[in-house]
Amino acid sequence: AQSVTQLGSHVSVSEGALVLLRCNYSSSVPPYLFWYVQYPNQGLQLLLKYTSAATLVKGINGFEAEFKKSETSFHLTKPSAHMSDAAEYFCAVSEPGYSTLTFGKGTMLLVSP
Amino acid sequence: GAVVSQHPSWVICKSGTSVKIECRSLDFQATTMFWYRQFPKQSLMLMATSNEGSKATYEQGVEKDKFLINHASLTLSTLTVTSAHPEDSSFYICSAPGTGDTQETQYFGPGTRLLVL
Protein backbone atom coordinates (compact mmCIF):
# COMPACT_ATOMS: atom_id res chain seq x y z
CA ALA A 1 0.00 0.00 0.00
CA GLN A 2 1.08 3.53 -0.67
CA SER A 3 0.58 6.67 1.32
CA VAL A 4 1.54 10.31 1.20
CA THR A 5 2.03 12.69 4.10
CA GLN A 6 2.12 16.41 3.55
CA LEU A 7 3.39 18.27 6.57
CA GLY A 8 1.42 21.42 7.26
CA SER A 9 -2.07 22.03 6.01
CA HIS A 10 -1.17 25.70 5.57
CA VAL A 11 2.13 27.39 4.75
CA SER A 12 2.45 31.16 4.77
CA VAL A 13 5.27 33.04 3.06
CA SER A 14 5.95 36.60 2.01
CA GLU A 15 6.21 37.51 -1.62
CA GLY A 16 9.80 36.92 -2.73
CA ALA A 17 10.53 34.40 0.01
CA LEU A 18 11.49 30.77 -0.41
CA VAL A 19 8.65 28.31 -0.76
CA LEU A 20 9.08 24.86 0.78
CA LEU A 21 6.22 22.38 0.79
CA ARG A 22 6.98 19.03 2.37
CA CYS A 23 5.95 15.61 1.13
CA ASN A 24 6.91 12.21 2.46
CA TYR A 25 5.75 8.99 0.91
CA SER A 26 5.50 5.34 1.72
CA SER A 27 5.71 2.75 -1.00
CA SER A 28 6.73 -0.89 -1.23
CA VAL A 29 8.12 -0.37 -4.73
CA PRO A 30 10.10 2.47 -6.34
CA PRO A 31 7.44 5.10 -6.77
CA TYR A 32 6.40 7.67 -9.27
CA LEU A 33 5.83 10.99 -7.53
CA PHE A 34 3.86 14.04 -8.57
CA TRP A 35 3.03 17.54 -7.45
CA TYR A 36 -0.21 19.10 -8.57
CA VAL A 37 -1.57 22.59 -7.96
CA GLN A 38 -5.24 23.45 -7.59
CA TYR A 39 -6.64 26.95 -7.81
CA PRO A 40 -10.08 27.63 -6.28
CA ASN A 41 -12.91 25.83 -8.03
CA GLN A 42 -10.59 24.35 -10.63
CA GLY A 43 -9.14 20.97 -11.43
CA LEU A 44 -5.58 19.91 -10.78
CA GLN A 45 -2.66 21.06 -12.87
CA LEU A 46 0.54 19.05 -13.03
CA LEU A 47 3.52 20.97 -11.69
CA LEU A 48 6.16 18.28 -12.03
CA LYS A 49 6.76 14.57 -11.79
CA TYR A 50 9.46 12.10 -10.85
CA THR A 51 9.55 8.84 -12.79
CA SER A 52 12.93 7.35 -11.86
CA ALA A 53 15.11 9.57 -14.01
CA ALA A 54 16.93 12.60 -12.57
CA THR A 55 16.27 13.02 -8.85
CA LEU A 56 16.03 16.82 -9.16
CA VAL A 57 12.96 17.60 -11.19
CA LYS A 58 12.11 20.99 -12.59
CA GLY A 59 8.54 21.92 -13.28
CA ILE A 60 6.42 24.80 -14.42
CA ASN A 61 6.25 28.24 -12.83
CA GLY A 62 9.76 27.97 -11.34
CA PHE A 63 9.00 25.04 -9.04
CA GLU A 64 11.30 22.11 -8.52
CA ALA A 65 11.40 19.03 -6.31
CA GLU A 66 14.07 16.59 -5.27
CA PHE A 67 13.48 12.88 -4.81
CA LYS A 68 15.40 11.60 -1.79
CA LYS A 69 15.04 7.87 -1.43
CA SER A 70 16.88 7.71 1.89
CA GLU A 71 14.45 10.21 3.39
CA THR A 72 11.41 8.98 1.41
CA SER A 73 10.76 12.60 0.58
CA PHE A 74 9.78 14.68 -2.42
CA HIS A 75 9.67 18.26 -1.16
CA LEU A 76 8.57 21.07 -3.46
CA THR A 77 10.52 24.32 -3.56
CA LYS A 78 10.53 27.65 -5.32
CA PRO A 79 13.23 30.25 -4.68
CA SER A 80 10.96 33.27 -4.75
CA ALA A 81 7.22 33.21 -4.10
CA HIS A 82 4.82 35.20 -6.21
CA MET A 83 1.32 36.25 -5.29
CA SER A 84 -0.01 34.05 -8.09
CA ASP A 85 1.46 30.98 -6.38
CA ALA A 86 -1.24 31.11 -3.72
CA ALA A 87 -3.16 27.87 -4.19
CA GLU A 88 -3.57 24.34 -2.83
CA TYR A 89 -0.75 21.93 -3.57
CA PHE A 90 -1.11 18.17 -3.62
CA CYS A 91 1.62 15.57 -3.55
CA ALA A 92 0.72 12.19 -5.05
CA VAL A 93 2.30 8.78 -5.52
CA SER A 94 1.69 5.93 -7.91
CA GLU A 95 3.29 2.62 -8.76
CA PRO A 96 5.08 2.26 -12.10
CA GLY A 97 2.68 0.65 -14.50
CA TYR A 98 -0.40 1.77 -12.62
CA SER A 99 -2.24 5.04 -13.19
CA THR A 100 -4.03 5.18 -9.86
CA LEU A 101 -2.81 8.05 -7.70
CA THR A 102 -2.76 8.27 -3.94
CA PHE A 103 -2.94 11.88 -2.81
CA GLY A 104 -1.74 13.65 0.27
CA LYS A 105 -4.18 15.88 2.13
CA GLY A 106 -2.88 18.99 0.46
CA THR A 107 -1.09 22.13 1.61
CA MET A 108 -2.57 25.56 1.15
CA LEU A 109 0.11 28.08 0.24
CA LEU A 110 -0.64 31.62 1.35
CA VAL A 111 1.48 34.45 -0.06
CA SER A 112 1.42 37.84 1.57
CA PRO A 113 2.64 41.08 0.01
CA GLY B 1 -1.81 18.33 -25.51
CA ALA B 2 -3.57 16.05 -22.98
CA VAL B 3 -6.53 18.27 -22.26
CA VAL B 4 -9.49 16.96 -20.30
CA SER B 5 -12.79 18.81 -20.17
CA GLN B 6 -15.84 18.42 -17.98
CA HIS B 7 -19.41 19.52 -18.45
CA PRO B 8 -21.15 21.12 -16.76
CA SER B 9 -18.81 23.16 -14.62
CA TRP B 10 -21.48 23.55 -11.99
CA VAL B 11 -25.01 22.29 -11.47
CA ILE B 12 -27.75 22.90 -8.94
CA CYS B 13 -30.52 20.35 -8.67
CA LYS B 14 -33.38 19.37 -6.44
CA SER B 15 -33.16 16.42 -4.11
CA GLY B 16 -34.27 13.21 -5.80
CA THR B 17 -33.26 14.16 -9.32
CA SER B 18 -30.43 12.66 -11.35
CA VAL B 19 -27.47 14.57 -12.65
CA LYS B 20 -25.10 13.57 -15.44
CA ILE B 21 -21.51 14.83 -15.61
CA GLU B 22 -19.42 14.39 -18.74
CA CYS B 23 -15.67 13.95 -18.91
CA ARG B 24 -13.94 14.20 -22.27
CA SER B 25 -10.36 13.76 -23.40
CA LEU B 26 -10.06 16.39 -26.11
CA ASP B 27 -6.86 15.57 -27.92
CA PHE B 28 -6.09 12.00 -26.94
CA GLN B 29 -7.82 8.71 -26.40
CA ALA B 30 -8.40 7.33 -22.95
CA THR B 31 -9.34 3.72 -22.40
CA THR B 32 -9.34 4.47 -18.70
CA MET B 33 -10.64 7.48 -16.81
CA PHE B 34 -10.89 8.14 -13.13
CA TRP B 35 -13.58 9.88 -11.10
CA TYR B 36 -12.74 11.67 -7.88
CA ARG B 37 -14.77 13.47 -5.27
CA GLN B 38 -13.45 16.36 -3.24
CA PHE B 39 -15.12 17.84 -0.19
CA PRO B 40 -14.30 21.40 0.87
CA LYS B 41 -10.77 21.80 2.14
CA GLN B 42 -10.07 18.11 1.69
CA SER B 43 -8.07 15.96 -0.66
CA LEU B 44 -9.33 14.03 -3.65
CA MET B 45 -10.90 10.66 -3.00
CA LEU B 46 -10.95 8.16 -5.84
CA MET B 47 -14.49 6.99 -6.46
CA ALA B 48 -14.12 4.69 -9.43
CA THR B 49 -12.11 3.70 -12.45
CA SER B 50 -13.98 3.96 -15.72
CA ASN B 51 -13.01 1.46 -18.40
CA GLU B 52 -13.98 1.87 -22.04
CA GLY B 53 -16.29 -0.90 -23.13
CA SER B 54 -16.54 -2.58 -19.75
CA LYS B 55 -17.88 -2.06 -16.26
CA ALA B 56 -16.39 0.50 -13.98
CA THR B 57 -14.43 -0.50 -10.93
CA TYR B 58 -15.65 1.17 -7.76
CA GLU B 59 -13.66 1.93 -4.64
CA GLN B 60 -14.76 0.46 -1.37
CA GLY B 61 -17.68 2.34 0.12
CA VAL B 62 -18.85 3.91 -3.15
CA GLU B 63 -22.38 2.90 -4.14
CA LYS B 64 -22.26 1.74 -7.73
CA ASP B 65 -26.04 2.00 -8.10
CA LYS B 66 -25.95 5.60 -7.00
CA PHE B 67 -22.96 6.71 -9.04
CA LEU B 68 -23.45 5.23 -12.48
CA ILE B 69 -20.46 5.36 -14.76
CA ASN B 70 -20.50 4.82 -18.49
CA HIS B 71 -17.42 4.89 -20.70
CA ALA B 72 -19.00 4.62 -24.12
CA SER B 73 -16.12 5.81 -26.25
CA LEU B 74 -12.39 6.37 -26.10
CA THR B 75 -12.93 10.06 -25.37
CA LEU B 76 -15.99 10.19 -23.16
CA SER B 77 -16.90 8.96 -19.70
CA THR B 78 -20.04 9.99 -17.84
CA LEU B 79 -20.89 9.96 -14.17
CA THR B 80 -24.57 10.01 -13.27
CA VAL B 81 -25.54 10.77 -9.71
CA THR B 82 -28.91 9.11 -9.33
CA SER B 83 -31.54 10.32 -6.88
CA ALA B 84 -29.21 12.98 -5.62
CA HIS B 85 -29.41 14.12 -2.01
CA PRO B 86 -27.80 17.07 -0.23
CA GLU B 87 -24.99 14.86 1.07
CA ASP B 88 -23.98 14.24 -2.56
CA SER B 89 -23.11 17.90 -2.92
CA SER B 90 -19.43 18.02 -3.71
CA PHE B 91 -16.79 18.81 -6.30
CA TYR B 92 -16.41 15.99 -8.81
CA ILE B 93 -13.22 15.76 -10.85
CA CYS B 94 -12.27 13.35 -13.58
CA SER B 95 -8.86 12.47 -14.93
CA ALA B 96 -7.30 10.42 -17.67
CA PRO B 97 -3.79 9.05 -18.04
CA GLY B 98 -1.71 10.36 -20.88
CA THR B 99 -0.46 8.28 -23.74
CA GLY B 100 2.98 7.19 -24.89
CA ASP B 101 5.72 8.63 -22.72
CA THR B 102 3.16 10.47 -20.54
CA GLN B 103 1.05 7.45 -19.69
CA GLU B 104 2.16 7.57 -16.05
CA THR B 105 0.69 11.07 -15.71
CA GLN B 106 -2.94 11.79 -15.00
CA TYR B 107 -4.50 14.84 -16.58
CA PHE B 108 -7.40 16.36 -14.72
CA GLY B 109 -10.56 18.03 -15.84
CA PRO B 110 -11.60 21.39 -14.38
CA GLY B 111 -14.17 19.79 -12.10
CA THR B 112 -17.93 19.97 -11.66
CA ARG B 113 -19.47 21.59 -8.62
CA LEU B 114 -22.72 19.85 -7.64
CA LEU B 115 -25.14 21.41 -5.21
CA VAL B 116 -28.21 19.41 -4.26
CA LEU B 117 -30.98 21.38 -2.59
Side-chain angles (χ1 to χ4, degrees), chain A residues 63-84:
Chain A
F63 285 94
E64 64 180 38
E66 185 172 9
F67 171 68
K68 292 187 176 180
K69 182 179 178 180
S70 61
E71 299 177 7
T72 61
S73 69
F74 190 57
H75 302 330
L76 182 70
T77 61
K78 181 174 181 178
S80 177
H82 192 272
M83 296 295 290
S84 61

Side-chain angles (χ1 to χ4, degrees), chain A:
Chain A
Q2 299 176 309
S3 66
V4 175
T5 302
Q6 291 184 239
L7 294 177
S9 59
H10 292 80
V11 170
S12 295
V13 299
S14 299
E15 192 172 20
L18 171 71
V19 175
L20 171 60
L21 304 182
R22 299 179 186 273
C23 172
N24 288 88
Y25 69 91
S26 173
S27 178
S28 57
V29 298
Y32 286 169
L33 293 158
F34 305 83
W35 275 100
Y36 285 89
V37 61
Q38 185 181 33
Y39 296 98
N41 296 309
Q42 295 186 28
L44 276 66
Q45 180 182 9
L46 179 68
L47 276 179
L48 49 79
K49 61 184 178 183
Y50 167 77
T51 56
S52 74
T55 56
L56 181 61
V57 181
K58 294 185 183 298
I60 62 172
N61 302 338
F63 285 94
E64 64 180 38
E66 185 172 9
F67 171 68
K68 292 187 176 180
K69 182 179 178 180
S70 61
E71 299 177 7
T72 61
S73 69
F74 190 57
H75 302 330
L76 182 70
T77 61
K78 181 174 181 178
S80 177
H82 192 272
M83 296 295 290
S84 61
D85 295 327
E88 184 101 33
Y89 291 80
F90 291 96
C91 181
V93 63
S94 71
E95 283 188 24
Y98 293 90
S99 298
T100 305
L101 289 172
T102 299
F103 284 92
K105 292 188 175 182
T107 297
M108 177 66 73
L109 176 65
L110 307 171
V111 182
S112 57

Side-chain angles (χ1 to χ4, degrees), chain B residues 25 33 46 48 54 60 79 103:
Chain B
S25 55
M33 290 183 175
L46 180 65
S54 65
Q60 189 173 8
L79 168 68
Q103 59 185 331

